[in-house]
Amino acid sequence: QQQVKQSPQSLIVQKGGISIINCAYENTAFDYFPWYQQFPGKGPALLIAIRPDVSEKKEGRFTISFNKSAKQFSLHIMDSQPGDSATYFCAASKDQAGTALIFGKGTTLSVSS
Amino acid sequence: GAVVSQHPSRVICKSGTSVKIECRSLDFQATTMFWYRQFPKQSLMLMATSNEGSKATYEQGVEKDKFLINHASLTLSTLTVTSAHPEDSSFYICSARRQGLGPNEKLFFGSGTQLSVL
């Protein structure tokens, strides 16, 4: 059973556009929802994270929207740039319990100039 | 920010040999470390959870006798791939959990090890 479902698998956005990636989770015990960016041959780097007591969090060009009742959360990248071209993973964990992150399958973003 | 050093970054070995990968938390103590495996263009799959001073907990389908994990100190965990075969070729990534912080980010990832078994 896939605990974190991510879509789309790939995304092409023009420079300056908005990139939107969606995730849905199964386990209501999850209490920590981060997004990671990964470049080829590198480990994932944390972009932004949210907890279920907040519906939205913004950091620079990155925004997480969180819908607890629907068990969904999404990443919005505003003013997308070619340098944003990478693979993005959503994840979830039972952070208070100290469990590992469970990752979505990833979205490959290409920002065309 | 906190740094997790993973070494080596790339290793090529012959089939049947063993390979050790080190994961070090450089400026914090990590009571728990996680090991992931990532195949090309796929997600990170959790292999095992390693707690300092105790045996690792392996995910279903991961052979504990093949992937030996040792977490002997609060700053070092090692993953040894024993009798490696070509199907073990993958990108291995560790993550360290920093103790003592509040409810914000406390998981830090290494830069990964690309293992190629010939």
Side-chain angles (χ1 to χ4, degrees):
Chain A
Q1 183 184 17
Q2 188 181 348
Q3 295 194 59
V4 180
K5 296 181 180 179
Q6 183 173 345
S7 63
Q9 184 175 355
S10 62
L11 181 62
I12 299 174
V13 173
Q14 284 196 334
K15 180 181 176 180
I18 302 174
S19 303
I20 301 174
I21 306 171
N22 301 298
C23 275
Y25 63 96
E26 301 283 336
N27 193 337
T28 55
F30 287 146
D31 58 5
Y32 179 65
F33 304 90
W35 284 91
Y36 283 85
Q37 179 188 58
Q38 186 181 33
F39 292 103
K42 303 294 184 183
L46 178 69
L47 273 178
I48 187 171
I50 199 167
R51 296 189 182 272
D53 54 345
V54 178
S55 61
E56 185 175 280
K57 183 176 182 181
K58 183 176 181 179
E59 291 183 359
R61 296 187 294 113
F62 302 98
T63 300
I64 295 182
S65 296
F66 185 82
N67 186 328
K68 187 175 181 179
S69 60
K71 293 188 287 185
Q72 295 176 346
F73 58 110
S74 60
L75 174 69
H76 294 229
I77 305 175
M78 312 299 287
D79 187 26
S80 300
Q81 299 296 312
D84 296 330
S85 297
T87 300
Y88 293 81
F89 293 95
C90 62
S93 73
K94 290 181 276 186
D95 184 59
Q96 292 293 336
T99 64
L101 287 169
I102 305 300
F103 286 85
K105 290 193 172 184
T107 297
T108 301
L109 170 66
S110 296
V111 181
S112 60
S113 55
Chain B
V3 176
V4 174
S5 174
Q6 189 172 339
H7 179 81
S9 59
R10 182 179 295 272
V11 58
I12 302 172
C13 70
K14 292 182 178 179
S15 184
T17 61
S18 295
V19 174
K20 180 184 284 188
I21 302 170
E22 292 188 349
C23 182
R24 293 181 184 273
S25 55
L26 296 186
D27 54 357
F28 66 96
Q29 293 184 327
T31 52
T32 303
M33 289 188 178
F34 305 100
W35 287 94
Y36 292 85
R37 180 166 56 183
Q38 185 178 31
F39 292 107
K41 299 188 183 300
Q42 294 191 24
S43 186
L44 288 79
M45 300 302 297
L46 180 66
M47 299 175 67
T49 300
S50 166
N51 290 299
E52 186 266 338
S54 62
K55 290 184 179 181
T57 302
Y58 290 82
E59 295 298 302
Q60 190 173 10
V62 178
E63 300 175 60
K64 62 180 180 180
D65 294 331
K66 181 169 186 61
F67 299 99
L68 301 179
I69 291 173
N70 183 281
H71 193 163
S73 78
L74 285 172
T75 59
L76 174 64
S77 177
T78 60
L79 167 67
T80 301
V81 183
T82 62
S83 187
H85 290 283
E87 57 265 30
D88 299 324
S89 298
S90 185
F91 192 56
Y92 293 87
I93 307 170
C94 69
S95 172
R97 184 179 181 89
R98 181 173 181 172
Q99 65 178 356
L101 289 185
N104 295 318
E105 166 61 24
K106 46 192 170 184
L107 284 171
F108 302 93
F109 282 83
S111 55
T113 297
Q114 181 63 54
L115 170 64
S116 299
V117 184
L118 304 179

